[in-house]
PDB file of all heavy atoms in Angstrom:
ATOM      1  N   THR U   1       0.833  -1.208   0.000  1.00 94.00           N
ATOM      2  CA  THR U   1       0.000   0.000   0.000  1.00 94.00           C
ATOM      3  C   THR U   1       0.862   1.249   0.000  1.00 94.00           C
ATOM      4  O   THR U   1       0.573   2.228  -0.700  1.00 94.00           O
ATOM      5  CB  THR U   1      -0.938   0.014   1.218  1.00 94.00           C
ATOM      6  OG1 THR U   1      -1.771  -1.141   1.182  1.00 94.00           O
ATOM      7  CG2 THR U   1      -1.791   1.272   1.252  1.00 94.00           C
ATOM      8  N   TRP U   2       1.924   1.231   0.781  1.00 96.00           N
ATOM      9  CA  TRP U   2       2.773   2.409   0.941  1.00 96.00           C
ATOM     10  C   TRP U   2       3.616   2.697  -0.294  1.00 96.00           C
ATOM     11  O   TRP U   2       3.868   3.849  -0.622  1.00 96.00           O
ATOM     12  CB  TRP U   2       3.701   2.211   2.133  1.00 96.00           C
ATOM     13  CG  TRP U   2       3.011   2.153   3.456  1.00 96.00           C
ATOM     14  CD1 TRP U   2       1.768   2.610   3.750  1.00 96.00           C
ATOM     15  CD2 TRP U   2       3.528   1.587   4.665  1.00 96.00           C
ATOM     16  NE1 TRP U   2       1.483   2.374   5.073  1.00 96.00           N
ATOM     17  CE2 TRP U   2       2.541   1.753   5.659  1.00 96.00           C
ATOM     18  CE3 TRP U   2       4.717   0.965   5.014  1.00 96.00           C
ATOM     19  CZ2 TRP U   2       2.712   1.317   6.979  1.00 96.00           C
ATOM     20  CZ3 TRP U   2       4.904   0.530   6.318  1.00 96.00           C
ATOM     21  CH2 TRP U   2       3.912   0.704   7.295  1.00 96.00           C
ATOM     22  N   ILE U   3       4.084   1.647  -0.972  1.00 96.00           N
ATOM     23  CA  ILE U   3       5.111   1.820  -2.000  1.00 96.00           C
ATOM     24  C   ILE U   3       4.609   1.502  -3.405  1.00 96.00           C
ATOM     25  O   ILE U   3       4.928   2.220  -4.351  1.00 96.00           O
ATOM     26  CB  ILE U   3       6.337   0.932  -1.664  1.00 96.00           C
ATOM     27  CG1 ILE U   3       6.932   1.374  -0.323  1.00 96.00           C
ATOM     28  CG2 ILE U   3       7.379   0.999  -2.768  1.00 96.00           C
ATOM     29  CD1 ILE U   3       8.004   0.455   0.199  1.00 96.00           C
ATOM     30  N   ALA U   4       3.839   0.433  -3.564  1.00 95.00           N
ATOM     31  CA  ALA U   4       3.423   0.014  -4.907  1.00 95.00           C
ATOM     32  C   ALA U   4       1.961  -0.432  -4.884  1.00 95.00           C
ATOM     33  O   ALA U   4       1.667  -1.619  -5.034  1.00 95.00           O
ATOM     34  CB  ALA U   4       4.325  -1.112  -5.401  1.00 95.00           C
ATOM     35  N   PRO U   5       1.034   0.493  -4.701  1.00 94.00           N
ATOM     36  CA  PRO U   5      -0.380   0.104  -4.588  1.00 94.00           C
ATOM     37  C   PRO U   5      -0.941  -0.513  -5.866  1.00 94.00           C
ATOM     38  O   PRO U   5      -1.902  -1.280  -5.796  1.00 94.00           O
ATOM     39  CB  PRO U   5      -1.083   1.431  -4.258  1.00 94.00           C
ATOM     40  CG  PRO U   5      -0.152   2.502  -4.713  1.00 94.00           C
ATOM     41  CD  PRO U   5       1.217   1.952  -4.545  1.00 94.00           C
ATOM     42  N   GLU U   6      -0.380  -0.207  -7.025  1.00 93.00           N
ATOM     43  CA  GLU U   6      -0.879  -0.789  -8.273  1.00 93.00           C
ATOM     44  C   GLU U   6      -0.230  -2.139  -8.566  1.00 93.00           C
ATOM     45  O   GLU U   6      -0.907  -3.097  -8.936  1.00 93.00           O
ATOM     46  CB  GLU U   6      -0.630   0.176  -9.427  1.00 93.00           C
ATOM     47  CG  GLU U   6      -1.418   1.478  -9.314  1.00 93.00           C
ATOM     48  CD  GLU U   6      -1.223   2.373 -10.523  1.00 93.00           C
ATOM     49  OE1 GLU U   6      -0.536   1.934 -11.482  1.00 93.00           O
ATOM     50  OE2 GLU U   6      -1.748   3.502 -10.507  1.00 93.00           O
ATOM     51  N   GLU U   7       1.085  -2.235  -8.407  1.00 93.00           N
ATOM     52  CA  GLU U   7       1.789  -3.486  -8.703  1.00 93.00           C
ATOM     53  C   GLU U   7       1.619  -4.521  -7.603  1.00 93.00           C
ATOM     54  O   GLU U   7       1.641  -5.721  -7.849  1.00 93.00           O
ATOM     55  CB  GLU U   7       3.277  -3.220  -8.936  1.00 93.00           C
ATOM     56  CG  GLU U   7       3.565  -2.264 -10.076  1.00 93.00           C
ATOM     57  CD  GLU U   7       3.626  -0.829  -9.610  1.00 93.00           C
ATOM     58  OE1 GLU U   7       3.078  -0.542  -8.522  1.00 93.00           O
ATOM     59  OE2 GLU U   7       4.204   0.015 -10.319  1.00 93.00           O
ATOM     60  N   GLY U   8       1.484  -4.065  -6.362  1.00 93.00           N
ATOM     61  CA  GLY U   8       1.365  -4.992  -5.243  1.00 93.00           C
ATOM     62  C   GLY U   8       2.652  -5.750  -4.996  1.00 93.00           C
ATOM     63  O   GLY U   8       3.760  -5.240  -5.215  1.00 93.00           O
ATOM     64  N   CYS U   9       2.512  -6.981  -4.582  1.00 93.00           N
ATOM     65  CA  CYS U   9       3.681  -7.801  -4.226  1.00 93.00           C
ATOM     66  C   CYS U   9       4.630  -7.999  -5.394  1.00 93.00           C
ATOM     67  O   CYS U   9       5.847  -8.171  -5.212  1.00 93.00           O
ATOM     68  CB  CYS U   9       3.234  -9.169  -3.706  1.00 93.00           C
ATOM     69  SG  CYS U   9       2.120  -9.096  -2.288  1.00 93.00           S
ATOM     70  N   ASP U  10       4.082  -7.981  -6.631  1.00 95.00           N
ATOM     71  CA  ASP U  10       4.912  -8.250  -7.804  1.00 95.00           C
ATOM     72  C   ASP U  10       5.962  -7.172  -8.037  1.00 95.00           C
ATOM     73  O   ASP U  10       6.895  -7.383  -8.809  1.00 95.00           O
ATOM     74  CB  ASP U  10       4.034  -8.359  -9.055  1.00 95.00           C
ATOM     75  CG  ASP U  10       3.116  -9.575  -9.005  1.00 95.00           C
ATOM     76  OD1 ASP U  10       3.274 -10.380  -8.068  1.00 95.00           O
ATOM     77  OD2 ASP U  10       2.250  -9.692  -9.883  1.00 95.00           O
ATOM     78  N   PHE U  11       5.819  -6.017  -7.404  1.00 96.00           N
ATOM     79  CA  PHE U  11       6.821  -4.967  -7.593  1.00 96.00           C
ATOM     80  C   PHE U  11       8.185  -5.417  -7.079  1.00 96.00           C
ATOM     81  O   PHE U  11       9.207  -5.101  -7.683  1.00 96.00           O
ATOM     82  CB  PHE U  11       6.383  -3.693  -6.865  1.00 96.00           C
ATOM     83  CG  PHE U  11       7.333  -2.546  -7.044  1.00 96.00           C
ATOM     84  CD1 PHE U  11       7.408  -1.867  -8.245  1.00 96.00           C
ATOM     85  CD2 PHE U  11       8.169  -2.140  -6.006  1.00 96.00           C
ATOM     86  CE1 PHE U  11       8.297  -0.813  -8.424  1.00 96.00           C
ATOM     87  CE2 PHE U  11       9.059  -1.096  -6.162  1.00 96.00           C
ATOM     88  CZ  PHE U  11       9.119  -0.426  -7.384  1.00 96.00           C
ATOM     89  N   CYS U  12       8.212  -6.134  -5.994  1.00 95.00           N
ATOM     90  CA  CYS U  12       9.476  -6.607  -5.413  1.00 95.00           C
ATOM     91  C   CYS U  12       9.734  -8.090  -5.666  1.00 95.00           C
ATOM     92  O   CYS U  12      10.892  -8.518  -5.672  1.00 95.00           O
ATOM     93  CB  CYS U  12       9.488  -6.364  -3.907  1.00 95.00           C
ATOM     94  SG  CYS U  12       9.654  -4.629  -3.416  1.00 95.00           S
ATOM     95  N   HIS U  13       8.678  -8.872  -5.834  1.00 95.00           N
ATOM     96  CA  HIS U  13       8.822 -10.327  -5.852  1.00 95.00           C
ATOM     97  C   HIS U  13       8.483 -10.928  -7.210  1.00 95.00           C
ATOM     98  O   HIS U  13       7.634 -10.402  -7.947  1.00 95.00           O
ATOM     99  CB  HIS U  13       7.898 -10.971  -4.810  1.00 95.00           C
ATOM    100  CG  HIS U  13       8.218 -10.607  -3.395  1.00 95.00           C
ATOM    101  ND1 HIS U  13       9.168 -11.268  -2.655  1.00 95.00           N
ATOM    102  CD2 HIS U  13       7.714  -9.638  -2.584  1.00 95.00           C
ATOM    103  CE1 HIS U  13       9.233 -10.733  -1.444  1.00 95.00           C
ATOM    104  NE2 HIS U  13       8.363  -9.743  -1.380  1.00 95.00           N
ATOM    105  N   ASN U  14       9.146 -12.035  -7.509  1.00 94.00           N
ATOM    106  CA  ASN U  14       8.702 -12.935  -8.564  1.00 94.00           C
ATOM    107  C   ASN U  14       7.563 -13.756  -7.974  1.00 94.00           C
ATOM    108  O   ASN U  14       7.785 -14.532  -7.045  1.00 94.00           O
ATOM    109  CB  ASN U  14       9.851 -13.837  -9.009  1.00 94.00           C
ATOM    110  CG  ASN U  14       9.449 -14.842 -10.070  1.00 94.00           C
ATOM    111  OD1 ASN U  14       8.265 -15.076 -10.316  1.00 94.00           O
ATOM    112  ND2 ASN U  14      10.425 -15.473 -10.699  1.00 94.00           N
ATOM    113  N   PRO U  15       6.330 -13.599  -8.446  1.00 92.00           N
ATOM    114  CA  PRO U  15       5.202 -14.279  -7.801  1.00 92.00           C
ATOM    115  C   PRO U  15       5.308 -15.792  -7.809  1.00 92.00           C
ATOM    116  O   PRO U  15       4.681 -16.459  -6.978  1.00 92.00           O
ATOM    117  CB  PRO U  15       3.987 -13.791  -8.619  1.00 92.00           C
ATOM    118  CG  PRO U  15       4.549 -13.344  -9.928  1.00 92.00           C
ATOM    119  CD  PRO U  15       5.923 -12.811  -9.618  1.00 92.00           C
ATOM    120  N   LYS U  16       6.118 -16.339  -8.720  1.00 92.00           N
ATOM    121  CA  LYS U  16       6.279 -17.788  -8.772  1.00 92.00           C
ATOM    122  C   LYS U  16       7.424 -18.273  -7.886  1.00 92.00           C
ATOM    123  O   LYS U  16       7.584 -19.479  -7.682  1.00 92.00           O
ATOM    124  CB  LYS U  16       6.528 -18.230 -10.214  1.00 92.00           C
ATOM    125  CG  LYS U  16       5.355 -17.938 -11.143  1.00 92.00           C
ATOM    126  CD  LYS U  16       5.638 -18.436 -12.549  1.00 92.00           C
ATOM    127  CE  LYS U  16       4.457 -18.155 -13.474  1.00 92.00           C
ATOM    128  NZ  LYS U  16       4.729 -18.630 -14.860  1.00 92.00           N
ATOM    129  N   LYS U  17       8.216 -17.345  -7.389  1.00 94.00           N
ATOM    130  CA  LYS U  17       9.340 -17.718  -6.519  1.00 94.00           C
ATOM    131  C   LYS U  17       9.606 -16.548  -5.571  1.00 94.00           C
ATOM    132  O   LYS U  17      10.497 -15.723  -5.804  1.00 94.00           O
ATOM    133  CB  LYS U  17      10.582 -18.057  -7.354  1.00 94.00           C
ATOM    134  CG  LYS U  17      11.718 -18.679  -6.557  1.00 94.00           C
ATOM    135  CD  LYS U  17      12.833 -19.110  -7.481  1.00 94.00           C
ATOM    136  CE  LYS U  17      14.019 -19.681  -6.709  1.00 94.00           C
ATOM    137  NZ  LYS U  17      13.651 -20.830  -5.865  1.00 94.00           N
ATOM    138  N   LEU U  18       8.808 -16.453  -4.525  1.00 91.00           N
ATOM    139  CA  LEU U  18       8.837 -15.298  -3.634  1.00 91.00           C
ATOM    140  C   LEU U  18      10.181 -15.095  -2.946  1.00 91.00           C
ATOM    141  O   LEU U  18      10.536 -13.979  -2.576  1.00 91.00           O
ATOM    142  CB  LEU U  18       7.728 -15.428  -2.581  1.00 91.00           C
ATOM    143  CG  LEU U  18       6.292 -15.302  -3.087  1.00 91.00           C
ATOM    144  CD1 LEU U  18       5.303 -15.584  -1.956  1.00 91.00           C
ATOM    145  CD2 LEU U  18       6.038 -13.927  -3.686  1.00 91.00           C
ATOM    146  N   ASP U  19      10.933 -16.167  -2.744  1.00 92.00           N
ATOM    147  CA  ASP U  19      12.197 -16.039  -2.021  1.00 92.00           C
ATOM    148  C   ASP U  19      13.334 -15.554  -2.916  1.00 92.00           C
ATOM    149  O   ASP U  19      14.440 -15.290  -2.439  1.00 92.00           O
ATOM    150  CB  ASP U  19      12.585 -17.383  -1.391  1.00 92.00           C
ATOM    151  CG  ASP U  19      12.714 -18.491  -2.424  1.00 92.00           C
ATOM    152  OD1 ASP U  19      11.890 -18.527  -3.357  1.00 92.00           O
ATOM    153  OD2 ASP U  19      13.638 -19.322  -2.296  1.00 92.00           O
ATOM    154  N   SER U  20      13.091 -15.392  -4.205  1.00 94.00           N
ATOM    155  CA  SER U  20      14.147 -14.971  -5.122  1.00 94.00           C
ATOM    156  C   SER U  20      14.479 -13.491  -4.916  1.00 94.00           C
ATOM    157  O   SER U  20      13.612 -12.668  -4.636  1.00 94.00           O
ATOM    158  CB  SER U  20      13.693 -15.204  -6.569  1.00 94.00           C
ATOM    159  OG  SER U  20      14.606 -14.623  -7.474  1.00 94.00           O
ATOM    160  N   ASP U  21      15.760 -13.163  -5.091  1.00 94.00           N
ATOM    161  CA  ASP U  21      16.227 -11.777  -5.016  1.00 94.00           C
ATOM    162  C   ASP U  21      16.495 -11.204  -6.406  1.00 94.00           C
ATOM    163  O   ASP U  21      17.258 -10.250  -6.562  1.00 94.00           O
ATOM    164  CB  ASP U  21      17.517 -11.687  -4.187  1.00 94.00           C
ATOM    165  CG  ASP U  21      17.261 -11.890  -2.707  1.00 94.00           C
ATOM    166  OD1 ASP U  21      16.088 -11.859  -2.294  1.00 94.00           O
ATOM    167  OD2 ASP U  21      18.241 -12.074  -1.956  1.00 94.00           O
ATOM    168  N   GLU U  22      15.853 -11.750  -7.433  1.00 95.00           N
ATOM    169  CA  GLU U  22      16.158 -11.338  -8.797  1.00 95.00           C
ATOM    170  C   GLU U  22      15.723  -9.918  -9.110  1.00 95.00           C
ATOM    171  O   GLU U  22      16.265  -9.289 -10.030  1.00 95.00           O
ATOM    172  CB  GLU U  22      15.501 -12.307  -9.786  1.00 95.00           C
ATOM    173  CG  GLU U  22      13.981 -12.355  -9.700  1.00 95.00           C
ATOM    174  CD  GLU U  22      13.388 -13.490 -10.513  1.00 95.00           C
ATOM    175  OE1 GLU U  22      13.392 -14.640 -10.030  1.00 95.00           O
ATOM    176  OE2 GLU U  22      12.942 -13.204 -11.642  1.00 95.00           O
ATOM    177  N   LYS U  23      14.736  -9.389  -8.396  1.00 95.00           N
ATOM    178  CA  LYS U  23      14.281  -8.026  -8.624  1.00 95.00           C
ATOM    179  C   LYS U  23      14.990  -7.081  -7.659  1.00 95.00           C
ATOM    180  O   LYS U  23      14.937  -7.282  -6.437  1.00 95.00           O
ATOM    181  CB  LYS U  23      12.767  -7.920  -8.450  1.00 95.00           C
ATOM    182  CG  LYS U  23      11.970  -8.627  -9.527  1.00 95.00           C
ATOM    183  CD  LYS U  23      10.493  -8.280  -9.430  1.00 95.00           C
ATOM    184  CE  LYS U  23       9.700  -8.870 -10.583  1.00 95.00           C
ATOM    185  NZ  LYS U  23       8.273  -8.458 -10.541  1.00 95.00           N
ATOM    186  N   TYR U  24      15.625  -6.050  -8.227  1.00 96.00           N
ATOM    187  CA  TYR U  24      16.410  -5.155  -7.378  1.00 96.00           C
ATOM    188  C   TYR U  24      15.580  -4.420  -6.321  1.00 96.00           C
ATOM    189  O   TYR U  24      16.087  -4.142  -5.221  1.00 96.00           O
ATOM    190  CB  TYR U  24      17.191  -4.155  -8.239  1.00 96.00           C
ATOM    191  CG  TYR U  24      16.444  -2.900  -8.605  1.00 96.00           C
ATOM    192  CD1 TYR U  24      16.491  -1.759  -7.796  1.00 96.00           C
ATOM    193  CD2 TYR U  24      15.675  -2.834  -9.765  1.00 96.00           C
ATOM    194  CE1 TYR U  24      15.802  -0.611  -8.132  1.00 96.00           C
ATOM    195  CE2 TYR U  24      14.992  -1.685 -10.106  1.00 96.00           C
ATOM    196  CZ  TYR U  24      15.061  -0.576  -9.284  1.00 96.00           C
ATOM    197  OH  TYR U  24      14.374   0.560  -9.610  1.00 96.00           O
ATOM    198  N   PRO U  25      14.270  -4.096  -6.565  1.00 96.00           N
ATOM    199  CA  PRO U  25      13.514  -3.428  -5.499  1.00 96.00           C
ATOM    200  C   PRO U  25      13.425  -4.229  -4.206  1.00 96.00           C
ATOM    201  O   PRO U  25      13.331  -3.652  -3.117  1.00 96.00           O
ATOM    202  CB  PRO U  25      12.128  -3.225  -6.122  1.00 96.00           C
ATOM    203  CG  PRO U  25      12.382  -3.144  -7.585  1.00 96.00           C
ATOM    204  CD  PRO U  25      13.488  -4.141  -7.824  1.00 96.00           C
ATOM    205  N   LYS U  26      13.467  -5.538  -4.304  1.00 96.00           N
ATOM    206  CA  LYS U  26      13.416  -6.349  -3.085  1.00 96.00           C
ATOM    207  C   LYS U  26      14.686  -6.159  -2.264  1.00 96.00           C
ATOM    208  O   LYS U  26      14.632  -6.034  -1.037  1.00 96.00           O
ATOM    209  CB  LYS U  26      13.241  -7.831  -3.437  1.00 96.00           C
ATOM    210  CG  LYS U  26      13.173  -8.728  -2.200  1.00 96.00           C
ATOM    211  CD  LYS U  26      13.089 -10.193  -2.578  1.00 96.00           C
ATOM    212  CE  LYS U  26      13.093 -11.072  -1.330  1.00 96.00           C
ATOM    213  NZ  LYS U  26      13.095 -12.524  -1.662  1.00 96.00           N
ATOM    214  N   VAL U  27      15.824  -6.135  -2.931  1.00 95.00           N
ATOM    215  CA  VAL U  27      17.091  -5.945  -2.229  1.00 95.00           C
ATOM    216  C   VAL U  27      17.135  -4.552  -1.601  1.00 95.00           C
ATOM    217  O   VAL U  27      17.579  -4.384  -0.461  1.00 95.00           O
ATOM    218  CB  VAL U  27      18.275  -6.143  -3.196  1.00 95.00           C
ATOM    219  CG1 VAL U  27      19.602  -5.966  -2.467  1.00 95.00           C
ATOM    220  CG2 VAL U  27      18.201  -7.517  -3.850  1.00 95.00           C
ATOM    221  N   VAL U  28      16.646  -3.548  -2.346  1.00 96.00           N
ATOM    222  CA  VAL U  28      16.612  -2.191  -1.817  1.00 96.00           C
ATOM    223  C   VAL U  28      15.656  -2.099  -0.642  1.00 96.00           C
ATOM    224  O   VAL U  28      15.964  -1.496   0.393  1.00 96.00           O
ATOM    225  CB  VAL U  28      16.212  -1.197  -2.918  1.00 96.00           C
ATOM    226  CG1 VAL U  28      16.040   0.208  -2.356  1.00 96.00           C
ATOM    227  CG2 VAL U  28      17.263  -1.177  -4.031  1.00 96.00           C
ATOM    228  N   ALA U  29      14.471  -2.712  -0.772  1.00 96.00           N
ATOM    229  CA  ALA U  29      13.474  -2.655   0.298  1.00 96.00           C
ATOM    230  C   ALA U  29      13.995  -3.283   1.580  1.00 96.00           C
ATOM    231  O   ALA U  29      13.724  -2.791   2.693  1.00 96.00           O
ATOM    232  CB  ALA U  29      12.195  -3.354  -0.146  1.00 96.00           C
ATOM    233  N   ARG U  30      14.739  -4.343   1.446  1.00 95.00           N
ATOM    234  CA  ARG U  30      15.321  -5.002   2.628  1.00 95.00           C
ATOM    235  C   ARG U  30      16.228  -4.035   3.387  1.00 95.00           C
ATOM    236  O   ARG U  30      16.173  -3.931   4.612  1.00 95.00           O
ATOM    237  CB  ARG U  30      16.101  -6.237   2.172  1.00 95.00           C
ATOM    238  CG  ARG U  30      16.741  -7.035   3.287  1.00 95.00           C
ATOM    239  CD  ARG U  30      17.539  -8.179   2.682  1.00 95.00           C
ATOM    240  NE  ARG U  30      16.685  -9.243   2.173  1.00 95.00           N
ATOM    241  CZ  ARG U  30      16.955  -9.988   1.107  1.00 95.00           C
ATOM    242  NH1 ARG U  30      18.052  -9.732   0.392  1.00 95.00           N
ATOM    243  NH2 ARG U  30      16.146 -10.948   0.737  1.00 95.00           N
ATOM    244  N   ARG U  31      17.046  -3.298   2.633  1.00 96.00           N
ATOM    245  CA  ARG U  31      17.955  -2.343   3.267  1.00 96.00           C
ATOM    246  C   ARG U  31      17.189  -1.146   3.829  1.00 96.00           C
ATOM    247  O   ARG U  31      17.549  -0.604   4.885  1.00 96.00           O
ATOM    248  CB  ARG U  31      18.976  -1.870   2.231  1.00 96.00           C
ATOM    249  CG  ARG U  31      20.141  -1.106   2.818  1.00 96.00           C
ATOM    250  CD  ARG U  31      20.992  -1.965   3.698  1.00 96.00           C
ATOM    251  NE  ARG U  31      22.167  -1.248   4.184  1.00 96.00           N
ATOM    252  CZ  ARG U  31      22.618  -1.325   5.419  1.00 96.00           C
ATOM    253  NH1 ARG U  31      22.005  -2.073   6.320  1.00 96.00           N
ATOM    254  NH2 ARG U  31      23.704  -0.655   5.777  1.00 96.00           N
ATOM    255  N   MET U  32      16.113  -0.747   3.156  1.00 97.00           N
ATOM    256  CA  MET U  32      15.327   0.385   3.640  1.00 97.00           C
ATOM    257  C   MET U  32      14.596   0.037   4.939  1.00 97.00           C
ATOM    258  O   MET U  32      14.379   0.903   5.796  1.00 97.00           O
ATOM    259  CB  MET U  32      14.326   0.812   2.575  1.00 97.00           C
ATOM    260  CG  MET U  32      14.936   1.408   1.315  1.00 97.00           C
ATOM    261  SD  MET U  32      15.920   2.928   1.590  1.00 97.00           S
ATOM    262  CE  MET U  32      17.596   2.242   1.706  1.00 97.00           C
ATOM    263  N   LEU U  33      14.188  -1.204   5.093  1.00 96.00           N
ATOM    264  CA  LEU U  33      13.562  -1.620   6.352  1.00 96.00           C
ATOM    265  C   LEU U  33      14.565  -1.516   7.503  1.00 96.00           C
ATOM    266  O   LEU U  33      14.216  -1.095   8.611  1.00 96.00           O
ATOM    267  CB  LEU U  33      13.028  -3.046   6.229  1.00 96.00           C
ATOM    268  CG  LEU U  33      11.760  -3.204   5.391  1.00 96.00           C
ATOM    269  CD1 LEU U  33      11.505  -4.676   5.069  1.00 96.00           C
ATOM    270  CD2 LEU U  33      10.565  -2.611   6.128  1.00 96.00           C
ATOM    271  N   GLN U  34      15.806  -1.909   7.237  1.00 95.00           N
ATOM    272  CA  GLN U  34      16.846  -1.742   8.257  1.00 95.00           C
ATOM    273  C   GLN U  34      17.064  -0.269   8.567  1.00 95.00           C
ATOM    274  O   GLN U  34      17.228   0.120   9.727  1.00 95.00           O
ATOM    275  CB  GLN U  34      18.149  -2.384   7.774  1.00 95.00           C
ATOM    276  CG  GLN U  34      18.092  -3.898   7.651  1.00 95.00           C
ATOM    277  CD  GLN U  34      19.351  -4.472   7.034  1.00 95.00           C
ATOM    278  OE1 GLN U  34      19.895  -3.931   6.071  1.00 95.00           O
ATOM    279  NE2 GLN U  34      19.836  -5.575   7.589  1.00 95.00           N
ATOM    280  N   MET U  35      17.027   0.569   7.530  1.00 97.00           N
ATOM    281  CA  MET U  35      17.210   1.999   7.719  1.00 97.00           C
ATOM    282  C   MET U  35      16.070   2.582   8.560  1.00 97.00           C
ATOM    283  O   MET U  35      16.305   3.417   9.448  1.00 97.00           O
ATOM    284  CB  MET U  35      17.277   2.705   6.366  1.00 97.00           C
ATOM    285  CG  MET U  35      17.512   4.208   6.442  1.00 97.00           C
ATOM    286  SD  MET U  35      17.454   5.031   4.830  1.00 97.00           S
ATOM    287  CE  MET U  35      15.668   5.045   4.571  1.00 97.00           C
TER     288      MET U  35
END
């Protein structure tokens, strides 16, 4: 809701493999949560 209300989970994740880090927004989001 806060970051990608239109794309939803797919903005950061591969919907077929949620644990994958192939999309750079997921790696960035992880660091932003720490921040």
